[in-house]
């Protein structure tokens, strides 16, 4: 045996309009939108001087790049990319978007059909700051609550009074021995047991120390009864047989908040896209850098060739002019 926590059965809540975003956590959505915008800018930069479909000015080219990025993300690209950096970037982006869309689609149906429940207390770890009641007969429950620095719990003498306080909201939860809690939970469908059994306590049969043979016989009989399923039959008769309610909160509901895909499991996709984009940028910049240094070398060669030409002074120019005039006065035979 041991202690367990009992609360009022959670009620269903209606889906809010943005519940379609639940399959991913917020950081994954931010990463997705940032990747789409970044790829759109890269498409315009890589294609603006090579593709007739892409405008060269930023005012018209950047929105067009975002349009192609979104259509690629939705697996519907309709432009023939001319540059290898753009082709490499879009190829990696299509692979990343394929995984993201498939993951989102697989989880969306489960999130839309799963019952949304408000579960403020899921076990003993959520009792801090809550109003907790216990039984005056359960000394272990009272001692455990006090040992957890819990505020003074409400102690009830009568069982009906204890559960009436839970129904009316006077207490948020009840900590009591597990068998009577589950026994009542099978009969009261508006209440449910949450969490695991804790503060385990064993029951024993007292035997006189000199009756060693009797103790062995009792142990053997208990083992036999357990192996034959007698304990399960007792549980089915005295617990499951007294009511039709489900006494436990299902595990899938208890863990529903952690089902969303987080960035911890998808960061490798965005890292892959950034690495490929970096390689594409290097490929795009390589011919630009080569042409820059080639033009610089050509400009230096032109400067050197101009400096090597012979200079003509003013005196030489006057002498050349005089000789030309003398030659012009000599008649040719």
């Amino acid at each position: 045996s041991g202690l367990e926590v009992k609360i009022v059965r959670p009620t269903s809540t209606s889906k809010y309009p943005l519940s379609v975003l639940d399959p991913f956590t917020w950081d994954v959505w931010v990463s997705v939108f940032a990747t789409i915008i970044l790829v759109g800018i890269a498409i315009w930069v890589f294609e603006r001087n090579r593709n007739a479909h892409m405008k060269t000015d930023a005012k018209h080219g950047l929105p067009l790049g975002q349009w192609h990025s979104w259509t690629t993300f939705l697996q519907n690209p309709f432009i023939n990319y001319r540059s290898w950096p753009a082709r490499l970037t879009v190829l990696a982006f299509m692979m990343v978007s394929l995984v993201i869309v498939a993951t989102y689609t697989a989880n969306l149906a489960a999130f839309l059909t799963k019952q949304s429940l408000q579960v403020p207390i899921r076990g003993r770890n959520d009792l801090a700051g809550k109003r907790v009641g216990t039984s005056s007969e359960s000394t272990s429950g009272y001692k455990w609550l006090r040992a957890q620095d819990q505020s003074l719990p409400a102690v009830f003498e009568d069982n009906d009074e204890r559960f009436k306080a839970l129904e009316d909201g006077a207490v948020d939860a009840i900590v009591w021995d597990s068998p009577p809690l589950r026994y009542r939970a099978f009969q009261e469908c508006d209440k449910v047991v949450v969490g695991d059994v804790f503060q385990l306590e064993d029951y024993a049969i007292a035997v006189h120390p000199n009756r060693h043979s009797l103790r062995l016989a009792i142990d053997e009989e208990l083992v036999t009864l357990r192996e034959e399923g007698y304990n399960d039959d007792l549980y089915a008769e005295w617990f499951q047989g007294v009511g039709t309610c489900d006494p436990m909160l299902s595990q899938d509901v208890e863990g529903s908040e952690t089902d969303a895909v987080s960035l911890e499991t998808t960061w490798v996709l965005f890292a892959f896209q950034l690495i490929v984009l970096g390689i594409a940028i290097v490929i795009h910049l390589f011919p630009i850098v080569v042409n820059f240094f080639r033009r610089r070398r050509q400009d230096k060669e032109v400067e050197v060739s101009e400096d090597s030409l012979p200079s003509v002074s003013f005196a030489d120019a006057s002498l050349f002019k005089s000789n030309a005039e003398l030659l012009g006065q000599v008649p040719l035979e």
Side-chain angles (χ1 to χ4, degrees):
S1 179
L3 300 176
E4 278 191 303
V5 180
K6 191 173 187 178
I7 63 173
V8 175
R9 185 178 293 274
T11 57
S12 309
T13 58
S14 59
K15 293 290 183 179
Y16 58 97
L18 297 180
S19 59
V20 294
L21 302 179
D22 287 344
F24 290 159
T25 56
W26 67 269
D27 49 359
V28 174
W29 284 117
V30 170
S31 301
V32 169
F33 290 128
T35 303
I36 294 175
I37 295 174
L38 186 61
V39 170
I41 296 174
I43 290 175
W44 173 71
V45 171
F46 296 152
E47 292 288 304
R48 59 177 178 170
N49 294 323
R50 299 188 179 185
N51 201 318
H53 297 281
M54 193 66 62
K55 304 295 183 180
T56 57
D57 59 304
K59 181 179 179 180
H60 299 88
L62 282 176
L64 191 58
Q66 295 303 316
W67 169 255
H68 290 305
S69 179
W70 277 99
T71 55
T72 302
F73 179 78
L74 299 176
Q75 305 297 314
N76 188 29
F78 61 90
I79 182 174
N80 184 17
Y81 297 100
R82 303 291 183 180
S83 64
W84 279 107
R87 294 174 180 176
L88 187 62
T89 301
V90 171
L91 178 62
F93 186 53
M94 291 185 66
M95 296 171 60
V96 172
S97 63
L98 180 63
V99 177
I100 293 176
V101 172
T103 304
Y104 174 78
T105 305
N107 291 344
L108 180 61
F111 270 82
L112 292 180
T113 56
K114 180 180 292 185
Q115 187 181 29
S116 179
L117 301 178
Q118 294 179 345
V119 188
I121 299 176
R122 301 174 183 272
R124 64 182 184 274
N125 295 328
D126 297 329
L127 294 177
K130 301 294 191 301
R131 298 167 301 173
V132 184
T134 188
S135 171
S136 59
E137 301 173 354
S138 178
T139 56
S140 58
Y142 180 84
K143 291 180 180 179
W144 183 87
L145 290 172
R146 296 298 295 160
Q148 305 303 313
D149 295 331
Q150 181 74 24
S151 59
L152 188 62
V155 180
F156 299 93
E157 300 289 341
D158 183 73
N159 291 340
D160 295 334
E161 180 185 0
R162 183 184 317 119
F163 292 107
K164 185 67 167 55
L166 182 62
E167 294 176 1
D168 297 340
V171 294
D172 301 317
I174 292 177
V175 174
W176 197 21
D177 297 339
S178 176
L181 273 186
R182 296 200 180 193
Y183 179 81
R184 294 289 294 259
F186 273 107
Q187 305 174 60
E188 301 172 345
C189 297
D190 59 336
K191 303 178 186 65
V192 66
V193 178
V194 295
D196 301 324
V197 180
F198 58 97
Q199 197 72 9
L200 297 177
E201 296 177 340
D202 295 328
Y203 288 96
I205 299 176
V207 178
H208 194 278
N210 296 332
R211 302 294 301 274
H212 180 69
S213 58
L214 177 61
R215 181 176 64 84
L216 293 178
I218 293 175
D219 290 343
E220 292 177 358
E221 186 64 23
L222 290 176
V223 171
T224 302
L225 292 175
R226 177 178 298 179
E227 292 177 349
E228 294 177 353
Y230 184 73
N231 293 348
D232 297 333
D233 295 338
L234 286 177
Y235 185 82
E237 178 180 357
W238 293 101
F239 286 88
Q240 297 175 347
V242 298
T244 59
C245 304
D246 184 7
M248 302 294 296
L249 192 66
S250 58
Q251 295 296 324
D252 58 338
V253 173
E254 291 190 36
S256 60
E257 292 186 353
T258 59
D259 290 339
V261 178
S262 65
L263 194 60
E264 296 179 356
T265 57
T266 57
W267 68 267
V268 65
L269 296 174
F270 304 106
F272 169 73
Q273 180 66 68
L274 290 177
I275 293 174
V276 174
L277 182 59
I279 296 174
I281 292 175
V282 172
I283 297 175
H284 177 73
L285 292 179
F286 181 76
I288 297 176
V289 174
V290 171
N291 291 334
F292 172 77
F293 284 105
R294 183 179 298 172
R295 286 196 301 269
R296 277 190 70 180
R297 187 179 63 181
Q298 292 175 353
D299 292 341
K300 288 183 179 180
E301 291 177 354
V302 171
E303 292 177 0
V304 171
S305 62
E306 291 178 353
D307 294 338
S308 63
L309 293 176
S311 60
V312 180
S313 63
F314 179 76
D316 295 336
S318 300
L319 180 61
F320 177 78
K321 182 177 181 182
S322 300
N323 292 335
E325 292 175 351
L326 291 174
L327 290 173
Q329 295 174 1
V330 177
L332 296 176
E333 295 182 354

